[in-house]
Amino acid sequence: MLPPAARLTRSQDFGLVVRRGRRAGRPRLVVHALTPDVPTLDSSKVGFVVSKAVGNSVVRHRVYRRLRHVVRPCLADMPPGTLVVVRALAPAADASSSELEADFSSALRKVLR
């Protein structure tokens, strides 16, 4: 589980990150990230989008749990105040945790440059 302070929950925040943030696409997921313009002490927040295109409810929740597990260790490495949205694509349904981790870390490095 992600700590409550690290969860992106408001739909306005999701929209802001997707519209104004940087984006990096990979075969199994897309990562959107918005870094603050001024230094802040706020914690980084992450939100997930796993649509019905990924699969049925069981598959979507499995992908969500795997992504959550992949993202949690990376929270400490993100600049403070960073907002991240991870959008799973249909191939994520058949991906292993290591494949998702490789895609996520690669995309995150690109958007945080």
Side-chain angles (χ1 to χ4, degrees), residues 6 8 15 23 37-38 67 70 76 94 100:
L8 199 61
R23 176 177 61 97
D37 295 333
V38 293
L67 286 172
V70 163
D94 302 321
L100 290 174

Side-chain angles (χ1 to χ4, degrees), residues 34 36 42 93:
L34 181 63
D42 294 340

Side-chain angles (χ1 to χ4, degrees), residues 63-95:
V63 169
Y64 172 69
R65 284 191 309 270
R66 285 182 178 166
L67 286 172
R68 210 173 49 209
H69 178 73
V70 163
V71 169
R72 185 177 175 134
C74 300
L75 280 172
D77 300 335
M78 292 182 200
T82 302
L83 303 178
V84 176
V85 172
V86 180
R87 185 166 43 98
L89 302 176
D94 302 321

Side-chain angles (χ1 to χ4, degrees), residues 27-28 53-55 59-60 62-63 66 88-100 103:
R28 296 168 197 87
V54 174
V59 173
R60 289 195 311 268
R62 183 182 314 125
V63 169
R66 285 182 178 166
L89 302 176
D94 302 321
S96 68
S97 292
S98 61
E99 291 171 330
L100 290 174
D103 282 354

Side-chain angles (χ1 to χ4, degrees), residues 22-49:
R22 295 186 57 174
R23 176 177 61 97
R26 295 295 178 263
R28 296 168 197 87
L29 50 88
V30 177
V31 175
H32 301 267
L34 181 63
T35 53
D37 295 333
V38 293
T40 180
L41 295 177
D42 294 340
S43 63
S44 297
K45 294 186 179 193
V46 180
F48 300 94
V49 178

